[in-house]
Amino acid sequence: MRQYLAATVLASVVLASASPALAATDPLQKKVDQMTRSGVAGALLSVREPDGTVRTWTSGTAERGTGRPMVGADARFRIASNTKIVVAAAVMRLVAEGRVDLGAPVETYAPGLLDGRPITVRQLLTHTSGLPEYLDLVDPKGPLDDRTFLRLALDADPVGPGWSYANTNYLVAGMLIEKVTGQGFRSYTRQTVLRSLGDTYWPGKTETGIRGEHAHTYGVDPFNPASQGKKVVDTTQQPGYLFGASGGLISTPDDLNRFWQSLSPSTIKAMTARTVPAEDPPQGRQGLGIVQYPLSCGPVYMHGGGLPGVRSLSGRDRAGRAVTLYVTGVPRDEQALFSVFEAAMCR
């Protein structure tokens, strides 16, 4: 099901290090620079063409107060909810093997997990299960583990009908993978859909940092007393393990782009065969982990991610061009991210 593209030659052009004259006239560089002028510390845009050619544009700093330039496409960052496309791809692998039926209730594979609710696997992956957002219910001073998070959601009133984005759906999807395969979702995804992505990893239980080269992130952290609910602080240190199947992966822009290109046309077709209208992003249609989104140059397949101090968009078009964009800070205008993403995808 999964075939990773192998490029015999990797051409990398980093426009941020090009001559000042070239950078000044490049429209994508101008757009990336606009992001950092608007207040974020750093911005990175990386495009990988179907033939393996990579171009990367950066702006700003990797760490405020140091003058250190923004990192490149091979440096790591928290991809947040972009994790969901990886988990969805893992579930689709089980579907292709005949081990999971999208139309079957989750409790077919995990009896009692959802208190007997007839929620299907498809409803999990399309955010149409009615499960509420567990993050809104968590007490940071209470137990912090997946079972507790799910219990909070099950004890709350359901939402819907229709699409309602909730990390709870992918919390359950991770548990489903464990029940079907007999191993945790971290191990299963490492051995399958992440096997060829050497710079992507799940953080361990005690890890709060990011391994290797990375940029610092800056935002309002509701669980950090220094933020006091509104002050921007350095949010680089995070309990990434707790974000789990809904948002715990750490990767690089280049790895993410390679992952998108690894999705075969038949896989993408299966994941977008029965989409539902989504409110975020507006005009998007939610598939199985993938959002189909209309751009001026045609539809693209994408997902977004956000944690305190980092925002990202990542996806590909039908031809195989893959784009990943992330900023380290709080954008004044979230739509500006889509503007840069569209410019890169449609150029």
Side-chain angles (χ1 to χ4, degrees), residues 40 45 106 198:
V40 300
L45 170 68
V106 173

Side-chain angles (χ1 to χ4, degrees), residues 4 27 35 58 61 70-71 104 107 110 139 145 154 162 172 178 210 245 247 265-266 275 277 283 292:
Y4 286 86
M35 298 298 298
T58 65
T61 181
M70 184 58 177
V71 295
E107 293 213 346
D139 178 358
D145 60 79
L154 292 174
V172 177
E178 180 175 357
I210 299 176
S266 61
T275 60
Q283 303 179 49
Q292 186 169 308

Side-chain angles (χ1 to χ4, degrees), residues 9 12 28-29 38 72-73 77 86 121 123 143-144 146 150 168 175 179 186 221 250 264 267 292 332:
V9 178
S12 180
L28 284 179
Q29 185 64 52
S38 71
F77 75 109
V86 173
V121 178
Q123 287 174 318
L144 301 175
D146 287 353
L150 178 57
T168 313
M175 295 176 174
K179 289 293 184 179
R186 294 176 178 86
D221 185 349
I250 293 175
S264 68
T267 299
Q292 186 169 308
R332 294 176 184 173

Side-chain angles (χ1 to χ4, degrees), residues 281-336:
Q283 303 179 49
R285 294 192 64 87
Q286 179 72 58
L288 302 173
I290 290 178
V291 175
Q292 186 169 308
Y293 189 77
L295 296 181
S296 59
C297 55
V300 296
Y301 311 105
M302 63 169 293
H303 210 288
L307 284 169
V310 61
R311 297 288 188 277
S312 61
L313 296 174
S314 188
R316 59 164 285 177
D317 65 10
R318 290 175 174 173
R321 171 180 286 170
V323 174
T324 295
L325 164 70
Y326 79 94
V327 297
T328 55
V330 183
R332 294 176 184 173
D333 178 12
E334 294 279 351
Q335 190 55 42

Side-chain angles (χ1 to χ4, degrees), residues 31-329:
K31 282 186 169 292
V32 174
D33 288 338
Q34 287 172 1
M35 298 298 298
T36 52
R37 283 198 294 269
S38 71
V40 300
L44 183 148
L45 170 68
S46 190
V47 178
R48 197 171 197 273
E49 302 291 353
D51 66 359
T53 300
V54 176
R55 294 183 176 88
T56 299
W57 296 259
T58 65
S59 184
T61 181
E63 184 178 4
R64 284 178 174 166
T66 66
R68 184 160 65 98
M70 184 58 177
V71 295
D74 57 350
R76 295 184 173 112
F77 75 109
R78 299 185 191 279
I79 70 172
S81 283
N82 288 301
T83 301
K84 292 179 175 66
I85 180 58
V86 173
V87 172
V91 174
M92 292 303 292
R93 183 184 181 93
L94 296 174
V95 171
E97 294 172 351
R99 301 169 72 183
V100 168
D101 182 342
L102 289 170
V106 173
E107 293 213 346
T108 301
Y109 312 100
L113 182 65
L114 300 179
D115 291 353
R117 301 183 193 188
I119 294 170
T120 67
V121 178
R122 180 181 296 278
Q123 287 174 318
L124 287 182
L125 300 185
T126 57
H127 296 286
T128 56
S129 69
L131 291 170
E133 176 58 72
Y134 78 85
L135 287 175
D136 297 336
L137 308 169
V138 171
D139 178 358
K141 297 180 181 179
L144 301 175
D145 60 79
D146 287 353
R147 292 289 175 175
T148 299
F149 297 156
L150 178 57
R151 187 72 260 160
L152 290 171
L154 292 174
D155 289 344
D157 293 334
V159 296
W163 180 89
S164 182
Y165 188 93
N167 287 286
T168 313
N169 290 299
Y170 281 77
L171 174 78
V172 177
M175 295 176 174
L176 171 68
I177 291 173
E178 180 175 357
K179 289 293 184 179
V180 173
T181 67
Q183 56 185 311
F185 64 86
R186 294 176 178 86
S187 296
Y188 181 74
T189 54
R190 277 198 304 265
Q191 295 168 16
T192 56
V193 295
L194 297 177
R195 183 176 54 200
S196 296
L197 304 181
D199 291 322
T200 300
Y201 72 94
W202 296 98
K205 288 184 178 180
T206 61
E207 283 188 274
T208 58
I210 299 176
R211 303 173 197 170
E213 187 179 16
H214 61 275
H216 284 237
T217 56
Y218 303 90
V220 177
D221 185 349
F223 297 117
N224 186 340
S227 269
Q228 298 178 340
K230 58 183 179 180
K231 184 179 179 181
V232 173
V233 297
D234 188 316
T235 58
T236 310
Q237 300 288 321
Q238 294 283 325
Y241 185 86
L242 290 179
F243 304 151
S246 63
L249 267 178
I250 293 175
S251 187
T252 69
D254 192 52
D255 262 11
L256 265 182
N257 287 342
R258 288 173 180 270
F259 174 79
W260 279 106
Q261 289 183 336
S262 78
L263 298 177
S264 68
S266 61
T267 299
I268 291 179
K269 182 178 180 179
M271 297 177 81
T272 56
R274 292 170 53 183
T275 60
V276 298
E279 297 176 9
D280 185 13
Q283 303 179 49
R285 294 192 64 87
Q286 179 72 58
L288 302 173
I290 290 178
V291 175
Q292 186 169 308
Y293 189 77
L295 296 181
S296 59
C297 55
V300 296
Y301 311 105
M302 63 169 293
H303 210 288
L307 284 169
V310 61
R311 297 288 188 277
S312 61
L313 296 174
S314 188
R316 59 164 285 177
D317 65 10
R318 290 175 174 173
R321 171 180 286 170
V323 174
T324 295
L325 164 70
Y326 79 94
V327 297
T328 55

